[in-house]
Amino acid sequence: MITTHQLEHWLQEDIGHHDVTNHVPGETTGRLVATEPGVAAGLEAAARVFEYLDVTVEASVTDGTTLAAGDQLLRVSGPAKSILRGERIAVNVVGHASGIATRTRTAVDAAQQESQSVRIAGTRKTTPGLRGVEKRAVVAGGGDTHRLDLSHMVMVKDNHIAEMGLEDAVAHFRERASFGTKIEVEVERPAAAPQAAAAGADIVLLDNTSPSRVREAVETLTAEYPDVLTEASGGITLETVPAYAKTGIDIISMGSLTHSAPSLDLSFRTGEP
Amino acid sequence: MITTHQLEHWLQEDIGHHDVTNHVPGETTGRLVATEPGVAAGLEAAARVFEYLDVTVEASVTDGTTLAAGDQLLRVSGPAKSILRGERIAVNVVGHASGIATRTRTAVDAAQQESQSVRIAGTRKTTPGLRGVEKRAVVAGGGDTHRLDLSHMVMVKDNHIAEMGLEDAVAHFRERASFGTKIEVEVERPAAAPQAAAAGADIVLLDNTSPSRVREAVETLTAEYPDVLTEASGGITLETVPAYAKTGIDIISMGSLTHSAPSLDLSFRTGEP
Amino acid sequence: MITTHQLEHWLQEDIGHHDVTNHVPGETTGRLVATEPGVAAGLEAAARVFEYLDVTVEASVTDGTTLAAGDQLLRVSGPAKSILRGERIAVNVVGHASGIATRTRTAVDAAQQESQSVRIAGTRKTTPGLRGVEKRAVVAGGGDTHRLDLSHMVMVKDNHIAEMGLEDAVAHFRERASFGTKIEVEVERPAAAPQAAAAGADIVLLDNTSPSRVREAVETLTAEYPDVLTEASGGITLETVPAYAKTGIDIISMGSLTHSAPSLDLSFRTGEP
Amino acid sequence: MITTHQLEHWLQEDIGHHDVTNHVPGETTGRLVATEPGVAAGLEAAARVFEYLDVTVEASVTDGTTLAAGDQLLRVSGPAKSILRGERIAVNVVGHASGIATRTRTAVDAAQQESQSVRIAGTRKTTPGLRGVEKRAVVAGGGDTHRLDLSHMVMVKDNHIAEMGLEDAVAHFRERASFGTKIEVEVERPAAAPQAAAAGADIVLLDNTSPSRVREAVETLTAEYPDVLTEASGGITLETVPAYAKTGIDIISMGSLTHSAPSLDLSFRTGEP
Amino acid sequence: MITTHQLEHWLQEDIGHHDVTNHVPGETTGRLVATEPGVAAGLEAAARVFEYLDVTVEASVTDGTTLAAGDQLLRVSGPAKSILRGERIAVNVVGHASGIATRTRTAVDAAQQESQSVRIAGTRKTTPGLRGVEKRAVVAGGGDTHRLDLSHMVMVKDNHIAEMGLEDAVAHFRERASFGTKIEVEVERPAAAPQAAAAGADIVLLDNTSPSRVREAVETLTAEYPDVLTEASGGITLETVPAYAKTGIDIISMGSLTHSAPSLDLSFRTGEP
Amino acid sequence: MITTHQLEHWLQEDIGHHDVTNHVPGETTGRLVATEPGVAAGLEAAARVFEYLDVTVEASVTDGTTLAAGDQLLRVSGPAKSILRGERIAVNVVGHASGIATRTRTAVDAAQQESQSVRIAGTRKTTPGLRGVEKRAVVAGGGDTHRLDLSHMVMVKDNHIAEMGLEDAVAHFRERASFGTKIEVEVERPAAAPQAAAAGADIVLLDNTSPSRVREAVETLTAEYPDVLTEASGGITLETVPAYAKTGIDIISMGSLTHSAPSLDLSFRTGEP
């Protein structure tokens, strides 16, 4: 959720102490329109901004809707002054979130041409302060949030394994984490994948591994541990997604979905019918 | 400045209620390293994150430093648990800000091949909550912050002109804004540029105007109003920057610097000397 | 984590605008001592309170330590005024958390006399504002946090099943939740337990079910779905815990651990060596 | 008052970044019902939670109302999603506050069987963050808030007396505190009670003193200082309340009212008429 | 207390997103000096500002110290950039608080020439956000805080009396307020003063009453109710204070102490020894 | 803008944990009335306070309206309890802001008798936490906000000049500040004014300079640099304003407008038609 504190921070950092340009009298309307194709996201945040300013908001689409250039995302009506104040922030947050949703959709489409069941997932590489907005934007694009925060799922990493050994590390966290928490184990070599599964991993992560070695690891693992999920990660791009999707992997995670997606181009038009 | 509230929001959204994986005893060190070339930014935010966690931070570079792949940005030492907690957020914020600085530098370099005096500027199209961080990242890349917020500078827009007429609109804001506030006038047609200058604009903005028409407007304007600054804006890309830079324009502003710059690739390495 | 805002709220609500009684000059020391047996918890919160006030804190025990009457939990030294200001809040939060840990330990001990593997878990019935503190206190007492928040694990409830049917409800959430999120299904009748497992539940919750019917359901379920966890919940008390523990159930959850545990009796003694 | 920040903290700590289970379409209703007898409190906080979520709230009772099992506390109607989001927090806060009110009422009833005029009071031993909610719950149960915060009333304690002597300590605080602030003096021995009254105490607190010695002190004190109030405190339980009430004491304060009252059992029922 | 949130608000509202003028390298020192005579107050707030910025602060005086022109209030040393950032805020808050303390001292001196025992008190007419700072400034000037907030003391006003009658109103609040809370009754006519005392008022307030009628009321009241305090309020100025002080009244309260005291003139000098 | 956090701080610091006096049932109305002549300001803040409390507000005047004694500023209607809660804060903030507006108007009137074009401006000497409210109050009184914050305009001060020399200092900041930021140079000697203009100052500030020397400097400067603005500052009072206004100076700034204006006397009357 977006707190009032955060919302007011967004407004305050844009307005400052004395803005003379928005003191426009009367009522007006406004429309948020996509000027390029994409996928809508962040609409709840935009609605929060306008509603805070006593502007009435009607969403024309929902998060996840495919947009053609010219499609309207939402329509507002209310005091001209308030609409002018909210407009820039609404465009910024919806453009940002929709950019993430759009890139996610592109990755999902690329992957699903090779595998109907593979999931494209985000990472914890999100913009500080926008974890929830960005995770939900990944979902809007057809992706999987992956770990929402460090408490959501245990990730057993190389430093844990180096310190405790793989079996003991998994047992250590199985003991300490809730029964409701899944445990994922990151392995550096495909050969370690079955060992991780044997130790009790719910998911095995193959980091920085080539598609061919991923395929090999997935085959070995699945034969013996059909219920264990597999994930590939590390520098996977829109270009290499299909190659990974073909390997039989369950999840492909990509930091670039959230940290490097360009904003979706939007236009806010006031005073239109 | 980054408030304690914001800093704790960044940490909290990543940690959750019960993270079992970071309870690593002892002290360690860590290094933040660029894995691709770029320009450093956001270092103050990273330092704030680590210092909040009682981790000692030594910056190896400053905002604006050109980075080669492999260059170290900062080095930390302190409790392993705290370093692990801060690492992801530090990478996220420095990667984000450095991505903006890097793209700004690219734009500045492209422009300066055509004009030593042209300034590349950001816009108000920033990520909600990060206005200051992103504006300072633009500066780190050699750019100009442009309007920090609505109170910093008056922008007379088409809706103001439609309502009051150009002369009256400028007079209206000259009366209401402080003597310390500059007034920029956005014109839709180059022909309106001298009219804006005559009305008292400190800066004239040519929005969505082709380089050739920009050049023409700049020449006309400068002949008569040598002290009035000129700005071009609207869909200018890294590719079209040189063409605009050649027109004699004073400022080229680009929303993409902040809303669409990919994150700079960084790596955080713990336990290294 | 306890934010600075929350910490200052705790101090401010106790101090008010003008407290004349704590203006004691000089330095002193203080000791937080248990005056009845129990289990320590909440020490990190107490340390935060004192450190905020520039008081040096030395923990004598850690969260989870068994305390005899007279055992010291922590020792502080610093300005007398600051120690007096922090004392009441430290006692309140450690007493509250330790009361939860103590009651959890009692429940765990009672259960483990019947089953070494059964887990005692908390619920979402926590005191508003203290979710993290209370969840970690349950862990200190040897318990399991259970769902940290609604995003941590999916709980399929009767209203979902009524609306979509059990199979569709589980499929619906499997699609929408992350691969990293477990799904628990609440069943009203033991007979529905295998159906839930077949639908893909990771955990089956038997709500308000007598021990004998729980045993029956667990046996049926485990025979067919050995990897599915089982949980009993609903009005289970310290008295009835053993009867449930004997059923072979994996998890027993009790709201009373957090919402009804009496505070552990503590004493803060200043000026002692 | 409950601030928006606090309210959003309550919601946020329970919801997390991506809750998929509460996206229920349509409108519904809900009823908060007592499932055991008690005294209502915390209703304002519950109303705040629901109103924040745009749910309409109708209180069926007020703070202080005696509840039989089955009695309805409040009724809500609005978006199903919002009601599901607010439900758990409303139950938690009303259960907690009503538990305190209920225990207070029990203590008041026990005391008033022996004395019509004795007051049962809370202490500063409240749950961090809930000072106001808990103090008002004590009032709902028929009790007295006692000191709201350190600035509300001066409490002269043994360390002050050790340092300055009783007379000087009272004079010291009479000088520094407002004319609008009462001064209470804590005495370790009943014999010191008249001395405290002579020094100017408005209230004399007999800490950890047996009923018989309390009676003796009260009699001595009242004979000479009829306007000075007397308070007994320190380990007084529901069992020993009557013995203290019989002594003629004016106020009996009990930390357990706030720090150890079990939650009142409540049920939230959705979709009912 | 001044929260971190408030402190950062003070800094943030003065700095903005990108201040280029304070990036001064190196260390320096600074001295806060009175440039006119007065009484020091607000030093704790200034220390908080500088300490937040990692500047070392040494107070040369304490709140309440009488200052001659040229007297130093505090001395700081640390990073030049931080000192420059804190300077303006420190001057603003200390100037404001010291202005209040200075005016309070003037009123106290004027009153005490006529009566050694009369107290000069503030009111609730404080600047929003600075209740605590201003109340403590009144104390620094030798005044009495009066009601810190609405919960500190009950004020029975004309609207209560109109609704319930004087006796019932006092009884009503005696029942609802804590035993630790004093009750003051505002009377419109001096003749009502003994009635208020008889009803149980701890303090009787004579509002907008001339000195001669105040004297009369005080004499009547004191004869019968020697323990009841008396207060005069309403448009009392530095000029009329002595006339009121002579009446035998216990407290004279003046809103102008906090809402209309001019700032004390201070100078912050950097780089001096 | 006034954030919800700030608004709730204002309410909370005045209410405390348990206010028994405002629990008045039913609806009522209230009117905020000036009891002395002045200029209205702060009305938006008052409206925010009442609207937060669900009280309907109708403004009778706007910020900047001239008030005669008896003039109504706003009218409210709603729950009596809420109106009583908001009343004191509304009076405090409107009285404070209107006091600033009134003093500004007095200064403006005094100045304009000598010069139609001179502007009276505030400074950064504002009450911590109220920068925006006070700047807008200066505008309501017919004044100029001057620098809103350190990022709004560059002020080159003696320490910069001492370190870098005047020309280099201006060039340094021209390079680092945005093209949208004006640069003002503070000169200690009138003779330095043309030098500052030559270096590129947009505004030249004559600090602590007598009217006759100001006139001389203005004349010299204007002859050569007609577009450069001039400002006089430093200990200018309502008495000396006319003398400065006569010098031809463009701006006269006065710290006393914000830090020493007495509150405008207002009365809040409930229950009136």
Side-chain angles (χ1 to χ4, degrees), chain A residues 5-6 9-10 12-22 24-25 84-85 88-89 92-93 96 124-132 134 147-151 153-156 159-160 163 172-173 176-177 259-263 265, chain B residues 5-6 9-10 12-22 24-25 84-85 88-89 92-93 96 124-132 134 147-151 153-156 159-160 163 172-173 176-177 259-263 265:
Chain A
H5 190 282
Q6 188 169 19
H9 180 204
W10 295 358
Q12 210 171 16
E13 72 176 9
D14 190 45
I15 295 176
H17 295 308
H18 189 234
D19 161 34
V20 296
T21 58
N22 283 345
V24 177
L84 289 171
R85 292 214 150 170
R88 168 56 39 216
I89 295 159
N92 287 352
V93 73
H96 181 74
R124 281 169 55 231
K125 296 177 180 175
T126 55
T127 312
L130 296 177
R131 175 64 55 90
E134 297 190 351
R147 260 206 298 185
L148 295 168
D149 57 34
L150 292 168
S151 302
M153 179 166 68
V154 166
M155 182 72 82
V156 184
N159 61 328
H160 300 122
E163 198 190 337
H172 173 92
F173 291 122
R176 276 155 188 77
H259 68 53
S260 294
S263 183
D265 211 42
Chain B
H5 190 280
Q6 187 168 20
H9 180 204
W10 296 358
Q12 209 171 16
E13 72 175 8
D14 190 46
I15 294 175
H17 295 309
H18 189 234
D19 161 34
V20 297
T21 57
N22 282 345
V24 177
L84 289 171
R85 293 215 149 170
R88 169 53 43 218
I89 296 159
N92 287 353
V93 73
H96 181 74
R124 281 169 54 233
K125 297 179 179 175
T126 55
T127 312
L130 296 177
R131 174 64 56 89
E134 297 189 351
R147 261 207 297 186
L148 295 167
D149 57 35
L150 292 168
S151 302
M153 178 165 68
V154 166
M155 181 73 81
V156 184
N159 60 329
H160 299 122
E163 199 191 334
H172 173 91
F173 291 123
R176 275 154 188 77
H259 68 52
S260 293
S263 182
D265 211 41

Side-chain angles (χ1 to χ4, degrees), chain A residues 255-268:
Chain A
S256 62
L257 299 185
T258 48
H259 68 53
S260 294
S263 183
L264 187 72
D265 211 42
L266 303 172
S267 165
F268 192 88

Side-chain angles (χ1 to χ4, degrees), chain A residues 111-270:
Chain A
Q112 292 196 340
Q113 291 193 337
E114 303 297 339
S115 157
Q116 277 304 308
S117 64
V118 69
R119 285 193 165 206
I120 298 296
T123 64
R124 281 169 55 231
K125 296 177 180 175
T126 55
T127 312
L130 296 177
R131 175 64 55 90
V133 167
E134 297 190 351
K135 287 291 189 185
R136 294 189 293 270
V138 166
V139 171
D144 185 301
T145 61
H146 208 292
R147 260 206 298 185
L148 295 168
D149 57 34
L150 292 168
S151 302
H152 179 211
M153 179 166 68
V154 166
M155 182 72 82
V156 184
K157 300 212 145 193
D158 48 1
N159 61 328
H160 300 122
I161 296 172
E163 198 190 337
M164 298 185 264
L166 199 156
E167 283 75 14
D168 284 2
V170 175
H172 173 92
F173 291 122
R174 190 61 87 199
E175 177 66 24
R176 276 155 188 77
S178 172
F179 70 91
T181 307
K182 285 197 180 176
I183 295 182
E184 177 160 12
V185 177
E186 181 182 320
V187 294
E188 300 188 12
R189 298 163 304 106
Q195 198 187 346
D202 295 300
I203 308 128
V204 174
L205 169 63
L206 298 152
D207 199 22
N208 288 314
T209 310
S210 68
S212 62
R213 299 194 68 197
V214 164
R215 177 194 298 268
E216 199 181 324
V218 169
E219 280 169 4
T220 313
L221 196 67
T222 316
E224 208 176 344
Y225 303 94
D227 292 343
V228 171
L229 295 174
T230 54
E231 176 184 352
S233 190
I236 301 176
T237 63
L238 291 178
E239 286 68 37
T240 58
V241 152
Y244 281 95
K246 265 192 283 204
T247 61
I249 198 91
D250 295 303
I251 301 114
I252 298 169
S253 60
M254 301 166 70
S256 62
L257 299 185
T258 48
H259 68 53
S260 294
S263 183
L264 187 72
D265 211 42
L266 303 172
S267 165
F268 192 88
R269 299 170 186 167
T270 50

Side-chain angles (χ1 to χ4, degrees), chain E residues 14-15 124 129 150-151 160, chain F residues 13-15 21 124 150-151:
Chain E
D14 190 46
I15 295 175
R124 281 170 54 232
L150 292 168
S151 302
H160 300 122
Chain F
E13 71 175 10
D14 190 46
I15 295 175
T21 57
R124 282 169 55 233
L150 292 168
S151 302

Side-chain angles (χ1 to χ4, degrees), chain D residues 29-263:
Chain D
T29 59
R31 304 194 306 122
L32 183 62
V33 175
T35 54
E36 61 174 339
V39 176
L43 291 168
E44 185 198 343
R48 280 274 286 155
V49 170
F50 282 120
E51 283 164 2
Y52 176 85
L53 295 161
D54 286 326
V55 170
T56 304
V57 184
E58 250 177 283
S60 316
V61 298
T62 58
D63 276 15
T65 301
T66 303
L67 303 164
D71 280 0
Q72 175 177 307
L73 287 88
L74 54 81
R75 191 179 173 284
V76 300
S77 58
K81 177 180 169 178
S82 299
I83 289 176
L84 289 170
R85 291 216 150 169
E87 160 189 359
R88 169 54 41 218
I89 295 158
V91 169
N92 287 352
V93 72
V94 176
H96 180 74
S98 300
I100 290 170
T102 302
R103 175 165 284 209
T104 303
R105 176 71 60 84
T106 305
V108 167
D109 288 348
Q112 292 196 340
Q113 291 195 336
E114 304 296 339
S115 158
Q116 276 304 309
S117 64
V118 70
R119 285 193 165 208
I120 297 296
T123 65
R124 281 169 53 231
K125 296 178 180 174
T126 55
T127 312
L130 296 177
R131 175 64 57 89
V133 168
E134 297 189 350
K135 287 291 188 185
R136 294 189 293 269
V138 166
V139 171
D144 185 301
T145 61
H146 208 292
R147 259 206 298 185
L148 295 168
D149 57 33
L150 292 168
S151 302
H152 179 211
M153 178 166 69
V154 166
M155 182 72 82
V156 184
K157 300 212 144 193
D158 48 2
N159 59 329
H160 300 122
I161 295 172
E163 199 189 333
M164 298 184 264
L166 200 156
E167 281 75 14
D168 285 2
V170 175
H172 173 93
F173 290 122
R174 190 61 86 198
E175 175 66 23
R176 276 155 188 77
S178 171
F179 71 89
T181 307
K182 285 196 180 177
I183 295 182
E184 177 161 11
V185 177
E186 181 182 320
V187 295
E188 300 189 13
R189 299 163 304 104
Q195 198 188 345
D202 294 300
I203 308 127
V204 175
L205 169 63
L206 299 151
D207 198 23
N208 288 314
T209 309
S210 69
S212 61
R213 299 194 67 197
V214 164
R215 177 193 299 269
E216 199 180 324
V218 169
E219 281 169 3
T220 312
L221 195 67
T222 315
E224 208 175 345
Y225 302 95
D227 291 343
V228 171
L229 295 174
T230 55
E231 175 184 352
S233 190
I236 301 176
T237 63
L238 291 178
E239 286 67 38
T240 58
V241 153
Y244 281 96
K246 265 192 283 203
T247 61
I249 197 93
D250 295 303
I251 301 116
I252 297 170
S253 61
M254 301 167 70
S256 62
L257 299 185
T258 49
H259 69 53
S260 294
S263 182

